[in-house]
Amino acid sequence: MSDLAALDKLRTRIQGLRAKTIANGCTEGEALAAAAKVAELLDRYDLSLTDVEIREAPCERRAYETRSRKRIPLDECIGAVAEFCDCRVWREKDAAKEVRYVFFGLRADVEVAHYLTELVDAAVRTELGRYKTSSEYRQFRHQERHMANASFALGMVASIADKLMAMKAERDQAKNSTGRGLVVLKTAVIETEFDKLDLKLHSVERPMRMVSPDAYDAGEAAGASLPINPAIRRS
């Protein structure tokens, strides 16, 4: 199968997964199961390419628009999404001062990174909606609920980030066991192309967030109760 044909097949599968999840909202469990499935497809795609095809593959940018001018819980997970997909990512503002995340990497990788960001975003909204109907949430006073919402979402994205990083470590180990050095090769290609962009990126000191420990723990527990294991990845 040619590189383009394999990429088209991967895109078709991603569109199918998107139709099953994002359109109607999705739970964290569905988001992570879809992440595991799309990672399997992505790794299979990588293994179908020769070293020469990887070295010659063009890198692209793909932006995810948050439609927000403020920091959002997704900030705490976006780095894990990028690493999971072998991408670089940075945060910037558009002309309307709204935040967007820009992924940079090989074409298939940035497409998957964008898709997973949509999944996480949808899962946060779905799980938060469920949390707001719980007896634990109703115990918060009205003026405390804004912080409870943000705290729950932060705990949840922290859980997702941890799971993505654990899955990434397993995937890299499997790839390295082939003896081809795919992980090192892809990293070298992306870093070389990224340097050519000559971007003036800088770190920003983030203010401390005030959180509700109970709500944060609830969000974290929601993720911790959803295991990602080989059985899910083979589904």
Side-chain angles (χ1 to χ4, degrees):
M1 182 181 295
S2 71
D3 180 13
L4 287 177
L7 182 57
D8 285 342
K9 183 177 180 180
L10 175 62
R11 283 174 169 164
T12 299
R13 296 296 298 275
I14 292 173
Q15 288 168 1
L17 288 169
R18 177 182 281 112
K20 294 178 182 178
T21 51
I22 297 172
N24 299 312
C26 64
T27 65
E28 183 178 359
E30 291 168 336
L32 288 168
K37 184 61 180 178
V38 81
E40 176 190 334
L41 297 173
L42 193 57
D43 291 345
R44 194 180 303 162
Y45 171 73
D46 283 348
L47 289 169
S48 73
L49 302 179
T50 66
D51 288 3
V52 172
E53 286 174 325
I54 292 176
R55 289 192 185 96
E56 294 180 350
C59 286
E60 297 183 357
R61 302 187 201 193
R62 180 81 187 269
Y64 183 81
E65 310 288 346
T66 69
R67 313 296 181 193
S68 173
R69 295 187 177 191
K70 301 177 181 179
R71 290 175 62 198
I72 58 175
L74 203 56
D75 282 354
E76 308 302 325
C77 188
I78 204 69
V81 171
E83 189 159 347
F84 185 75
C85 298
D86 297 320
C87 294
R88 295 292 299 269
V89 66
W90 61 90
R91 184 177 182 271
E92 65 182 31
K93 291 189 176 182
D94 60 20
K97 304 297 182 183
E98 293 180 340
V99 173
R100 61 187 174 201
Y101 306 112
V102 183
F103 294 103
F104 179 82
L106 301 185
R107 183 177 299 167
D109 294 335
V110 296
E111 187 151 341
V112 170
H114 190 277
Y115 164 62
L116 291 186
T117 304
E118 285 182 294
L119 275 183
V120 174
D121 203 6
V124 167
R125 297 174 193 278
T126 301
E127 298 282 4
L128 181 57
R130 181 179 293 108
Y131 178 61
K132 287 180 177 181
T133 67
S134 70
S135 59
E136 293 86 351
Y137 183 79
R138 287 195 294 272
Q139 291 175 7
F140 288 103
R141 292 178 298 178
H142 181 73
Q143 62 268 33
E144 297 173 333
R145 291 184 176 181
H146 178 74
M147 182 183 294
N149 295 342
S151 300
F152 179 89
L154 282 171
M156 192 173 134
V157 296
S159 172
I160 291 175
D162 287 345
K163 282 187 169 64
L164 289 178
M165 295 309 296
M167 291 164 63
K168 171 63 173 170
E170 289 183 16
R171 292 171 56 213
D172 284 354
Q173 185 176 14
K175 283 184 182 181
N176 288 333
S177 69
T178 66
R180 283 186 58 193
L182 278 174
V183 177
V184 173
L185 177 58
K186 284 183 69 176
T187 299
V189 169
I190 294 165
E191 290 301 318
T192 297
E193 293 304 308
F194 182 78
D195 288 343
K196 293 178 183 178
L197 298 178
D198 195 27
L199 296 175
K200 306 302 181 185
L201 302 179
H202 60 277
S203 299
V204 176
E205 186 84 16
R206 293 183 177 180
M208 294 292 291
R209 286 181 184 268
M210 295 291 291
V211 301
S212 162
D214 289 342
Y216 184 96
D217 290 347
E220 196 171 38
S225 67
L226 297 165
I228 289 298
N229 53 46
I232 291 178
R233 283 197 290 276
R234 288 196 296 268
S235 63

